[in-house]
Amino acid sequence: MKEQAEAKRRKEREASLARLAENFPDAWQTVKQRIEIGSGKAYEEACRFLIDLAEAYELSSGRETFDAELRRLMAAHGKRKSLVQRLVKAKLLSSV
């Protein structure tokens, strides 16, 4: 019973990530919009969204593409210490 519930949850998660992967440019735009707000809550939302994006990239085009896009994003927003701390904690960035 527990295995069935886990399998169903995993299948739903993969379907959600596949939908996200259908339009990566819009997904990155959403992340940028959250970051532009500049609040802790918006940074948390951006970080959660980036975690989902990383997983979606792993299932579709590979983590290297995500890492390149994240580097591009951080070139513009890397001075936001609170955001950087959240991304390091989520293991999306190595410590700075």
Side-chain angles (χ1 to χ4, degrees):
M1 188 77 162
K2 187 176 181 180
E3 293 85 16
Q4 285 179 322
E6 178 61 25
K8 181 182 179 197
R9 187 201 63 76
R10 191 171 37 253
K11 187 175 181 178
E12 289 171 354
R13 174 78 175 152
E14 287 177 3
S16 173
L17 294 173
R19 284 190 302 277
L20 184 59
E22 289 173 1
N23 197 340
F24 283 132
D26 280 355
W28 284 105
Q29 190 58 39
T30 299
V31 169
K32 290 175 191 170
Q33 289 170 348
R34 300 279 57 182
I35 291 171
E36 293 291 328
I37 292 171
S39 71
K41 180 182 177 195
Y43 288 162
E44 284 294 325
E45 292 169 354
C47 188
R48 280 194 304 275
F49 206 73
L50 285 167
I51 290 168
D52 290 347
L53 262 177
E55 287 185 47
Y57 270 95
E58 285 177 21
L59 290 175
S60 65
S61 58
R63 180 65 189 244
E64 300 80 23
T65 308
F66 170 81
D67 290 339
E69 291 291 333
L70 183 60
R71 281 192 298 277
R72 208 168 292 128
L73 178 76
M74 295 315 293
H77 301 288
K79 293 190 184 338
R80 297 173 186 254
K81 290 183 181 181
S82 184
L83 174 65
V84 170
Q85 290 171 345
R86 284 171 171 81
L87 297 177
V88 168
K89 186 177 178 185
K91 296 180 175 49
L92 293 173
L93 285 178
S94 56
S95 58
V96 275

